[in-house]
């Protein structure tokens, strides 16, 4: 048995690299340019959904050239397994008041869509001026609710992915690329 979290374990559980660090970087630059154009003359309140989005958000905000305030929310839907429970719990809410502000939610991945759907419903009741989402990955094949993803980096294959913020048993969020774990590694998650 090799300890999870170690380089040796990481190398053992990679089935294939799905998105390389360099292609992620290039995509983030493009997203930043698009968001900059769309919000010209406005100020953005960027809300990162912890924990998965922190890596993407850190890179994305440095590519956006309008004034930005940042905040974070921590929500939980998966509770340590890879299947969604359909219940979204707000563990940490925003500190900022979002009333009449242009809000951009940053997500790592929109998968079933339940997290974003529920988050959006909650935030809409607070009357922001506008509310959009930018997700690094969009896994449309697994959708359970109809949500519109305003900005996204990549179409995601219908696989459980790890790296660049996405965790495997809370490990490997710091991995600079995104990979698909082996079947054996995925079995450990069930
Ligand atoms: P959704 O509610 O199914 O759209 O999923 C929302 C959250 O589940 C994401 O923000 C991720 O934190 C997590 N998640 C979904 N798919 C994956 C994956 O492939 N790898 C790691 N985390 C995932
Ligand atoms: Mg997660």
């Amino acid at each position: 048995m090799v300890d999870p979290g170690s380089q040796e374990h990481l190398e053992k559980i990679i089935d294939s690299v799905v998105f390389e660090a360099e292609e992620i970087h290039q995509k983030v630059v493009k997203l930043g340019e698009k968001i900059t154009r769309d919000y010209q003359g406005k100020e953005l309140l960027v809300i990162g959904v912890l924990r998965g989005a922190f890596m993407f958000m850190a890179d994305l905000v440095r590519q956006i050239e309008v004034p930005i305030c940042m905040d974070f929310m921590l929500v939980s839907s998966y509770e340590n397994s890879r299947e969604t429970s359909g219940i979204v719990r707000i563990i940490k809410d925003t500190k900022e008041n979002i009333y009449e502000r242009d809000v951009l939610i940053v997500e790592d991945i929109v998968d079933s869509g339940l997290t974003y759907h529920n988050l959006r419903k909650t935030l809409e009741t607070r009357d922001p001026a506008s509310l959009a989402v930018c997700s690094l990955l969009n896994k449309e094949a697994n959708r359970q609710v109809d949500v519109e993803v305003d900005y996204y980096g990549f179409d995601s294959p219908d696989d459980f992915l790890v790296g660049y913020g996405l965790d495997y048993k809370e490990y490997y969020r710091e991995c600079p690329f995104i990979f698909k774990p082996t079947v054996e590694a995925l079995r450990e998650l069930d």
Side-chain angles (χ1 to χ4, degrees):
M1 252 301 269
V2 190
D3 287 340
S6 64
Q7 187 62 31
E8 194 187 346
H9 181 266
L10 174 62
E11 281 162 20
K12 269 186 70 173
I13 70 162
I14 296 176
D15 175 276
S16 57
V17 174
V18 181
F19 301 110
E20 300 278 3
E22 186 52 35
E23 50 177 327
I24 295 172
H25 172 70
Q26 281 166 17
K27 191 64 84 170
V28 171
V29 170
K30 285 218 170 103
L31 282 169
E33 287 168 358
K34 186 161 197 323
I35 292 165
T36 300
R37 282 197 301 274
D38 291 354
Y39 289 88
Q40 216 40 248
K42 294 182 178 169
E43 184 180 302
L44 264 179
L45 174 59
V46 176
I47 301 177
V49 183
L50 296 170
R51 287 169 277 175
F54 83 99
M55 193 77 72
F56 173 46
M57 175 163 157
D59 288 341
L60 180 68
V61 290
R62 284 180 283 185
Q63 303 297 333
I64 299 175
E65 291 170 12
V66 301
I68 297 176
C69 294
M70 289 177 231
D71 207 337
F72 295 93
M73 288 181 85
L74 175 56
V75 301
S76 174
S77 56
Y78 278 50
E79 309 279 288
N80 277 328
S81 95
R82 69 192 158 106
E83 290 300 319
T84 183
S85 60
I87 299 161
V88 176
R89 204 152 50 92
I90 294 182
I91 297 165
K92 183 221 170 288
D93 210 330
T94 59
K95 193 167 180 200
E96 293 294 312
N97 189 346
I98 72 168
Y99 178 67
E100 291 190 348
R101 296 174 78 175
D102 290 299
V103 174
L104 181 69
I105 299 171
V106 177
E107 270 278 20
D108 49 1
I109 182 166
V110 178
D111 184 5
S112 69
L114 288 165
T115 304
Y116 174 58
H117 177 77
N118 285 290
L119 198 56
R120 193 181 170 96
K121 272 201 306 198
T122 301
L123 295 182
E124 271 173 347
T125 65
R126 303 175 187 177
D127 293 326
S130 68
L131 187 56
V133 64
C134 179
S135 180
L136 178 68
L137 303 171
N138 186 15
K139 201 189 276 183
E140 276 206 283
N142 206 28
R143 249 353 164 267
Q144 291 179 30
V145 279
D146 194 21
V147 290
E148 193 179 330
V149 184
D150 306 277
Y151 304 93
Y152 67 91
F154 301 99
D155 283 303
S156 169
D158 192 13
D159 294 310
F160 184 79
L161 301 178
V162 179
Y164 196 68
L166 297 160
D167 71 299
Y168 173 86
K169 295 187 182 184
E170 292 308 327
Y171 292 106
Y172 309 129
R173 292 187 195 273
E174 74 282 16
C175 183
F177 53 86
I178 294 175
F179 68 94
K180 175 183 164 181
T182 61
V183 176
E184 296 74 40
L186 286 173
R187 219 173 279 140
E188 295 270 308
L189 288 178
D190 292 327

